[in-house]
């Protein structure tokens, strides 16, 4: 049974969007429910790369739609339970844990700050440079690159420390030279976060700091 998220059971007037390929429904206990797509054949989706990609996008669309309406514990793409009974048994055994987590996430959203390195101009090496002059110019360029890397690392460490002091719920990830800091922040504090981002950008001349939109708490469940 394909499952998108866990959420409170006592939710009235919740609008369920269309799923990956069919209608959605809520299945649950008295306190916690699961948002599922009962008729989805997930194995069949994996036969086509195009279908699989469209399913990933649809999964994210569904989670964002429900998140705009209420607090949820979003699940990874591809989360399935063997049967409805197995899902209900899971919810009954973990109900207390999920209720605590939902309470912690109430009114909050995940905001991702993307730090992209800025490469400053390097010292030019004259085409006429020969011998010792050429090697000195190459040494100067290497030294400049090394200093930039050190400054970039220092700036990132300093901003991470500043973020940790203001936002206790922060998770860092990196890849392809880009640093991402995921923050769990009250939606009411979004304007304050925007002001903080401007300050951090001023202190990070070797990075471009790009804030993301409010998202479901993918990294905090």
């Amino acid at each position: 049974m394909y499952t998108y998220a866990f959420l409170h059971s006592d939710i009235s007037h919740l609008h369920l969007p269309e799923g990956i390929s069919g209608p959605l429904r809520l299945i649950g206990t008295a306190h916690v429910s699961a948002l599922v797509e009962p008729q989805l054949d997930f194995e069949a989706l994996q036969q086509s790369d195009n279908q699989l990609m469209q399913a990933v996008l649809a999964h994210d669309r569904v989670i964002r739609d429900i998140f705009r309406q209420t607090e949820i514990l979003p699940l990874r793409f591809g989360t399935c339970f063997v049967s409805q009974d197995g899902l209900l048994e899971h919810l009954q055994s973990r109900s207390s844990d999920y209720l605590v987590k939902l309470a912690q996430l109430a009114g909050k959203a995940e905001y991702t700050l993307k730090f992209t390195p800025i490469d400053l101009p390097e010292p030019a090496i004259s085409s006429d440079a020969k011998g010792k002059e050429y090697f000195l110019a190459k040494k100067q360029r290497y030294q400049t690159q090394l200093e930039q890397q050190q400054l970039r690392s220092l700036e990132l460490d300093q901003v991470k420390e500043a973020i940790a002091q203001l936002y206790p719920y922060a998770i860092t990830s990196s890849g392809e030279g880009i640093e991402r800091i995921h923050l769990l922040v009250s939606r009411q504090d979004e304007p304050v976060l925007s002001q903080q981002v401007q300050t951090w950008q001023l202190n990070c001349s070797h990075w471009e700091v790009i804030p993301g939109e409010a998202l479901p708490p993918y990294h905090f469940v």
Side-chain angles (χ1 to χ4, degrees):
M1 180 165 291
Y2 191 87
T3 310
Y4 291 87
F6 299 142
L7 61 160
H8 287 290
S9 294
D10 56 346
I11 297 175
S12 59
H13 309 299
L14 186 67
H15 174 264
L16 298 182
E18 186 73 7
I20 293 173
S21 63
L24 306 181
R25 60 177 292 203
L26 292 172
I27 294 176
T29 64
H31 302 293
V32 180
S33 291
L35 180 65
V36 303
E37 186 170 342
Q39 304 305 318
L40 179 65
D41 185 350
F42 185 69
E43 290 186 1
L45 289 177
Q46 301 177 65
Q47 305 304 314
S48 166
D49 290 342
N50 181 61
Q51 278 188 328
L52 196 60
M53 180 56 65
Q54 293 302 315
V56 170
L57 295 175
H59 178 94
D60 185 62
R61 169 184 55 76
V62 168
I63 288 179
R64 292 193 188 204
D65 190 306
I66 299 299
F67 177 67
R68 283 191 287 267
Q69 303 178 59
T70 186
E71 286 82 32
I72 63 171
L73 302 181
L75 300 178
R76 292 181 180 275
F77 173 75
T79 300
C80 297
F81 287 82
V82 176
S83 66
Q84 179 172 324
D85 288 342
L87 173 56
L88 287 172
E89 182 179 347
H90 174 81
L91 290 176
Q92 289 169 352
S93 65
R94 297 292 305 278
S95 179
S96 297
D97 295 335
Y98 291 152
L99 287 174
V100 169
K101 180 62 71 172
L102 285 166
Q104 292 173 344
L105 297 175
K108 297 182 177 66
E110 179 177 318
Y111 297 85
T112 297
L113 307 181
K114 184 169 72 171
F115 289 74
T116 304
I118 298 174
D119 294 322
L120 301 180
E122 299 178 341
I125 299 178
S126 172
S127 58
D128 298 328
K130 305 293 183 182
K132 183 178 180 180
E133 182 181 359
Y134 173 79
F135 285 107
L136 285 174
K138 289 279 288 185
K139 181 180 179 181
Q140 179 60 45
R141 171 177 284 186
Y142 173 76
Q143 185 64 32
T144 299
Q145 291 175 338
L146 184 60
E147 290 174 354
Q148 284 190 24
Q149 292 173 358
Q150 291 173 339
L151 284 172
R152 185 178 294 136
S153 179
L154 178 61
E155 286 178 354
L156 187 61
D157 288 342
Q158 289 176 338
V159 78
K160 283 182 178 179
E161 183 177 348
I163 289 173
Q165 292 177 356
L166 294 172
Y167 300 100
Y169 297 103
I171 297 175
T172 301
S173 61
S174 59
E176 300 181 353
I178 296 176
E179 295 282 337
R180 292 178 174 83
I181 301 179
H182 312 281
L183 304 176
L184 185 64
V185 181
S186 170
R187 295 196 190 197
Q188 294 181 346
D189 293 336
E190 184 174 331
V192 177
L193 176 61
S194 298
Q195 294 175 358
Q196 291 291 344
V197 169
Q198 294 177 20
T199 300
W200 295 330
Q201 179 65 86
L202 290 174
N203 295 327
C204 290
S205 60
H206 290 76
W207 297 89
E208 181 184 12
V209 186
I210 304 174
E213 62 180 315
L215 294 176
Y218 294 112
H219 289 85
F220 298 93
V221 297

